Amino acid sequence: MIQIAPSLLSADFSRLADAAHMVEKAGADLIHVDVMDGHFVPMLTFGPAHVAALKKVTALPLDVHLMVDNPSAMIPLFAEAGADWISIHVEAAPHLHRDVSAIRRAGRKAGVVLNPATPLTALEAILPDADFVLLMSVNPGRGSQPFIEASHERIRLLRRRIEERGLRTLVEIDGGVNLKNFERLCEDGAQVFVAGNAVFGSPDPAGVIRTMRDIAARKERR
Ligand code: DX5
Ligand code: ZN
């Protein structure tokens, strides 16, 4: 089952509720919220107050991607604010197992994020405890960057490893996803698709989501 998660990073920040309504109506499954702290990545974006506000205006689950140093301190704040999925970077989390456990104890789905150059072997020990893995297909920090081609192979290897181990961990892909590479990413085995610029940079954002839905439905039928 393929899930589409438009990223609000590329939406109009003065009209986030409108963006949430639009993607919900167009058939998105999740709303991706990119949290940047000005340390792990240079930019500052959303905080728990934004998540709490969004929670009031949409029924879609909020997929909160924490690009922050010291995620341990942030997890309770975002869980409390209403984040449904919370993902943390292995590069920022020396106590990864403890953090993943904290997310799950809070009743949220726990995700582990890998930067493009972080080896997949970093996941070996944590994989059974994670609900999903988010593979970055750009360097984190901003939207509208080109997709890093080596990510195709990483998705395939990761899916194979998850299947070998008999796990149900989902694979999410984030960065440079668009209508050109969407079909191939489905074939690679990605299950959750983040799309920022491809959706909000389009003159017809709802149309892009619907087209992704159609491609996914075609792939799922096979
Ligand atoms: C990048 C963020 C992404 C970003 C993707 O640091 O994690 O979620 O919004 O944007 P696009 O789809 O434009 O690459
Ligand atoms: Zn993201």
Side-chain angles (χ1 to χ4, degrees), residues 106-119:
R108 312 307 193 213
K109 281 198 193 303
V112 172
V113 191
L114 256 50
N115 278 337
T118 303

Side-chain angles (χ1 to χ4, degrees), residues 13 15 37 49 52 58 66 83 115-116 136 140-141 146 149 152 159 164 166-168 184-185 188 194 197 201 208:
F13 276 30
R15 298 173 59 201
D37 68 347
T58 180
L66 295 181
N115 278 337
M136 290 303 305
E149 289 300 317
H152 287 294
R159 270 305 296 275
E164 275 169 7
L167 299 171
R168 301 173 64 90
R184 182 163 167 212
L185 291 168
D188 292 331
V194 177
N197 183 56
V208 172

Side-chain angles (χ1 to χ4, degrees), residues 7 9 32-36 63-67 87 89 113 134 136 140 172 174-175 194:
S7 167
L9 189 61
H32 188 80
V33 182
D34 285 304
V35 175
M36 303 188 188
D63 169 28
V64 176
H65 173 191
L66 295 181
M67 282 165 275
S87 56
H89 276 257
V113 191
L134 193 168
M136 290 303 305
E172 179 169 18
D174 183 3
V194 177

Side-chain angles (χ1 to χ4, degrees), residues 39 54 61 123 127 141 155 167 183 197 208:
H39 293 274
L54 283 163
L123 295 167
L127 210 48
I155 297 168
L167 299 171
E183 182 163 356
N197 183 56
V208 172

